């Protein structure tokens, strides 16, 4: 049972990479950000207070797997709200079992705390990052594709705010796990980032096989 943990900053390319790696290694894939986005969406739809842990935990309890592929979860406002609800330990607790059950069957999981909290014993851990400017450009292009009217400067400001919140929250902050391999995608196409990730994963898995 192989578990590949992929963490990283917003718009670093970790989601695309996780999907490609899952296909390559014939593993299932869970984008854990969708759980927080679905929680945020439920909270927004019900006019819950995003700063109230009990109301946000109530939203997290209502998340079901069928909701995770709704395109509305990809929108900027839902993403920003996801970052806000994710600071509450009660929300993280509600979403823990789903992620651990998924990981118990093996797969690729991507998020912010996979290598540090959800799957500390993952076979391979990757941390994906890129410069804020490059990430803002990628995200700006994506949002314009969805028809959102937003400037590059606004995207960069929102991304900086999101990085700050994700990295500085008390519970399960985004950080590089001690045994994670860093891939900086600033100057890499998705294909080159994929090649770099496969190289790391194959080497780590081969070293494990030799040991056992
Ligand atoms: O990866 P994303 O942009 O879909 O994630 C949205 C927010 O959800 C992110 O800003 C922080 C939160 N999140 C988290 O706290 N832990 C995870 N494992 C995944 C996402």
């Amino acid at each position: 049972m192989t578990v590949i943990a992929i963490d990283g900053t917003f718009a670093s390319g970790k989601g695309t990479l996780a999907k490609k790696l899952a296909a390559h290694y014939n593993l299932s894939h869970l984008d854990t950000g969708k759980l927080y986005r679905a929680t945020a969406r439920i909270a927004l739809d019900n006019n819950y207070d995003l700063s109230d842990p009990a109301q946000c935990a109530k939203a997290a309890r209502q998340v079901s797997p069928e909701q995770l592929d709704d395109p509305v979860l990809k929108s900027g406002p839902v993403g920003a709200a996801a970052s806000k609800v994710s600071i509450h330990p009660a929300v993280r607790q509600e979403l823990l079992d789903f992620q651990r059950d998924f990981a118990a069957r093996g797969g690729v999981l991507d998020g912010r705390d996979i290598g540090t909290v959800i799957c500390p014993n993952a076979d391979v851990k990757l941390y994906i990052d890129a410069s804020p400017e490059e990430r803002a450009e990628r995200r700006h292009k994506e949002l314009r594709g969805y028809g959102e009217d937003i400037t590059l400067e606004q995207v960069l400001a929102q991304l900086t705010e999101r990085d700050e919140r994700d990295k500085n929250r008390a519970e399960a902050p985004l950080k590089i796990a001690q045994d994670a391999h860093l891939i900086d995608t600033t100057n890499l196409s998705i294909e080159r980032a994929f090649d770099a990730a496969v190289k790391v994963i194959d080497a780590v898995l081969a070293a494990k096989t030799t040991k056992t």
Side-chain angles (χ1 to χ4, degrees):
M1 207 93 66
T2 305
V3 173
I4 301 176
I6 305 184
D7 290 304
T9 47
F10 175 59
S12 59
K14 65 179 173 9
T16 311
L17 200 54
K19 221 178 280 168
K20 281 175 79 76
L21 289 170
H24 179 76
Y25 290 103
N26 200 17
L27 293 167
S28 44
H29 168 226
L30 178 64
D31 169 358
T32 63
K34 285 184 177 174
L35 298 170
Y36 294 91
R37 286 171 180 264
T39 301
R41 186 206 180 174
I42 293 167
L44 292 170
D45 284 353
N46 289 286
N47 280 322
Y48 292 168
D49 177 356
L50 299 185
S51 64
D52 181 331
Q55 288 188 35
C56 293
K58 187 172 159 195
R61 272 196 296 282
Q62 293 170 51
V63 172
S64 65
E66 310 79 67
Q67 300 161 346
L68 301 181
D69 289 321
D70 191 327
V72 78
L73 297 190
K74 292 186 179 165
S75 80
V78 173
S83 173
K84 289 180 186 161
V85 301
S86 73
I87 67 167
H88 303 304
V91 167
R92 309 198 71 82
Q93 186 61 39
E94 288 294 341
L95 301 175
L96 190 66
D97 284 351
F98 184 86
Q99 297 174 81
R100 290 249 169 94
D101 289 349
F102 183 93
R105 297 189 292 275
V108 179
L109 291 87
D110 74 274
R112 302 292 189 288
D113 62 341
I114 309 303
T116 51
V117 176
I118 305 295
C119 306
N121 299 319
D123 296 282
V124 192
K125 298 180 186 178
L126 301 179
Y127 187 94
I128 315 299
D129 206 356
S131 73
E133 292 74 19
E134 173 64 26
R135 291 187 287 126
E137 248 172 63
R138 290 176 191 167
R139 182 63 179 158
H140 185 238
K141 222 183 257 173
E142 193 186 354
L143 288 177
R144 294 300 292 255
Y146 300 142
E148 280 191 35
D149 185 19
I150 189 163
T151 66
L152 179 61
E153 291 68 33
Q154 285 169 321
V155 174
L156 181 60
Q158 288 176 4
L159 182 140
T160 309
E161 188 190 324
R162 177 97 76 93
D163 280 357
E164 283 286 307
R165 199 183 301 112
D166 292 351
K167 288 179 179 174
N168 295 312
R169 66 182 178 222
E171 180 90 359
L174 170 65
K175 62 174 181 206
I176 308 182
Q178 219 185 350
D179 47 352
H181 300 263
L182 173 69
I183 297 177
D184 186 325
T185 68
T186 307
N187 296 308
L188 297 184
S189 63
I190 185 64
E191 288 75 24
R192 296 230 355 246
F194 172 74
D195 290 345
V198 166
K199 211 165 154 188
V200 169
I201 294 169
D202 285 350
V204 174
L205 293 180
K208 274 188 166 249
T209 317
T210 332
K211 252 190 238 166
T212 48

